[in-house]
């Protein structure tokens, strides 16, 4: 599942990721993306000098999943 800014709707960015997609309004877009998998949370900060960090924690991963589920319910198809 992917939640992205409405700005990427219909672009190559949208179609590059397989699966379901939902969109949030442009005013909420951010240079930060997060991937949750297993007990890991990978966060990427897409600035001039990109950064990333990895958290390995079941509690953190579960918390991020809950947050994602809340956003998914409010985002538009």
């Amino acid at each position: 599942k992917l939640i992205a800014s409405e700005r990427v709707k219909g672009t190559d960015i949208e179609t590059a990721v397989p699966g379901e997609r939902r969109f949030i309004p442009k005013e909420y877009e951010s240079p930060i993306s997060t991937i949750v998998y297993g007990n890991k949370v990978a966060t990427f900060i897409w600035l001039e000098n990109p950064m990333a960090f990895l958290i390995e924690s079941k509690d953190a991963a579960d918390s991020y999943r809950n947050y994602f589920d809340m956003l998914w319910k409010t985002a538009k198809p």
Side-chain angles (χ1 to χ4, degrees), residues 1-69:
K1 293 180 178 178
L2 168 70
I3 298 174
S5 167
E6 289 175 339
R7 183 179 59 81
V8 303
K9 206 170 194 178
T11 69
D12 290 342
I13 295 170
E14 176 194 356
T15 57
V17 179
E20 294 179 71
R21 296 167 190 82
R22 292 204 179 169
F23 300 91
I24 57 174
K26 294 175 196 172
E27 60 264 22
Y28 296 114
E29 69 183 46
S30 167
I32 298 172
S33 59
T34 304
I35 299 172
V36 182
Y37 56 102
N39 290 332
K40 296 179 178 141
V41 179
T43 300
F44 303 89
I45 306 170
W46 303 103
L47 300 173
E48 186 175 325
N49 293 312
M51 294 179 267
F53 58 91
L54 179 67
I55 301 169
E56 190 167 354
S57 161
K58 181 182 181 329
D59 291 336
D62 289 345
S63 178
Y64 272 87
R65 276 189 201 87
N66 286 337
Y67 178 69
F68 181 90
D69 289 342

